[in-house]
Amino acid sequence: MKKYLADLVVSANEKLHPNYYLLKLTQDTPFPEMLPGQFVELKVENSPATFLRRPISINYIDKEKNELWLLIQVIGDGTKKLSELKNGEIVNLMYPLGNSFSIPKEKISKKLLLIGGGVGTAPMLFLGTDLKRFGYEPVFLLGARTSKDLLQLDMFQKFGTVYTTTEDGSAGEKGYVTNHSILQKEDFEMIYTCGPKPMMVAVAQYAKALGIPCEVSLENLMACGIGACLCCVENTVDGHICACMEGPVINIEKLTWQI
């Protein structure tokens, strides 16, 4: 898939939470094809401490408004600068990068479960829109610390059934996503997940124990996005890979996690 280096215009930068912003970018021409699971690398201007681009998962493509959505979690100076961008400002992007989640080819009544935690919910929304477009009814299981940390629920509800967990019990079921009762009540034929590694390991263990195919989106540090810096190397059963090039999406059968 062709890669682009382009200057995009900020059409909105919405504060969803003290630590999360929804950055919407646009351009004069329609965006090229992008796939769920892929990411972009943003250049951060006016941040002396930020030397490399910041990798951000593609959250959603609004084709009517010709907008690319990115969910920004404020962690350091680089992401803080991104959260401060104003309408009309220019952001330089390299995109789309990495591989994508697989879409089931057989049009059968597959029950597909999409599990996201924290900022890892971002690619689950984009994936859900694609699955819906192909005639599937995705089930979303979203986890967060508190109810205030559950983001974009209105968008998720447009594309599938939504279940939630919070660590403090302020919304949905109390606990972690892997403890949600839906996992004992329903049988799923495919699982996709993105979030903190301990969460993804637990999801992978659940999937493997039941023989359910599962794909994870790795959150390794991807500083360059083109396999040059070797920051994102992941060990697999086939040897080491660069997550930014041969990932970030990978089937759990290829991982060497203790599952």
Side-chain angles (χ1 to χ4, degrees), residues 39-42 52-57 220-225:
F39 66 100
V40 307
E41 290 274 0
L42 287 80
L52 299 170
R53 292 173 180 264
R54 288 295 178 262
I56 306 290
S57 296
N220 300 23
L221 177 62
M222 291 176 272
C224 74

Side-chain angles (χ1 to χ4, degrees), residues 79-91:
T79 48
K80 185 175 186 298
K81 291 295 184 184
L82 293 175
S83 75
E84 296 169 349
L85 289 168
K86 301 292 190 293
N87 289 12
E89 290 193 282
I90 303 298
V91 183

Side-chain angles (χ1 to χ4, degrees), residues 7-202:
D7 288 332
L8 303 185
V9 180
V10 176
S11 55
N13 198 3
E14 303 169 4
K15 185 177 182 179
L16 305 182
H17 175 283
N19 295 323
Y20 291 94
Y21 288 75
L22 183 59
L23 180 62
K24 299 181 180 180
L25 304 172
T26 190
Q27 61 181 16
D28 293 335
T29 58
F31 281 108
E33 181 185 16
M34 289 177 267
L35 301 174
Q38 292 186 307
F39 66 100
V40 307
E41 290 274 0
L42 287 80
K43 185 177 181 180
V44 182
E45 302 285 1
N46 303 315
S47 177
T50 308
F51 301 103
L52 299 170
R53 292 173 180 264
R54 288 295 178 262
I56 306 290
S57 296
I58 298 171
N59 176 228
Y60 183 70
I61 304 295
D62 188 330
K63 293 185 178 180
E64 290 186 3
K65 295 183 178 180
N66 197 39
E67 287 181 335
L68 165 63
W69 294 13
L70 303 173
L71 185 62
I72 308 293
Q73 181 182 16
V74 180
I75 299 175
D77 188 65
T79 48
K80 185 175 186 298
K81 291 295 184 184
L82 293 175
S83 75
E84 296 169 349
L85 289 168
K86 301 292 190 293
N87 289 12
E89 290 193 282
I90 303 298
V91 183
N92 185 265
L93 264 70
M94 182 165 55
Y95 74 102
L97 301 173
N99 65 355
S100 62
F101 292 104
S102 62
I103 305 295
K105 295 180 180 179
E106 298 179 7
K107 294 301 291 287
I108 59 176
S109 58
K110 287 201 171 196
K111 298 201 71 173
L112 309 177
L113 179 63
L114 286 61
I115 304 178
V119 75
T121 60
M124 296 295 100
L125 178 60
F126 190 19
L127 174 59
T129 66
D130 236 32
L131 292 172
K132 183 76 170 180
R133 181 166 62 90
F134 282 100
Y136 295 100
E137 293 292 332
V139 175
F140 299 102
L141 177 53
L142 310 175
R145 291 183 178 179
T146 72
S147 60
K148 294 180 180 179
D149 300 309
L150 289 169
L151 308 173
Q152 299 181 290
L153 292 182
D154 58 333
M155 288 295 295
F156 280 104
Q157 289 164 354
K158 290 181 180 180
F159 302 106
T161 304
V162 179
Y163 296 92
T164 62
T165 65
T166 50
E167 293 178 26
D168 66 354
S170 55
E173 294 188 10
K174 184 175 182 178
Y176 300 117
V177 289
T178 46
N179 301 129
H180 197 285
S181 60
I182 192 68
L183 299 179
Q184 284 72 51
K185 294 177 181 178
E186 300 284 350
D187 295 322
F188 296 98
E189 297 181 60
M190 182 72 185
I191 297 175
Y192 307 90
T193 187
C194 183
K197 186 174 180 178
M199 185 207 82
M200 291 196 292
V201 170

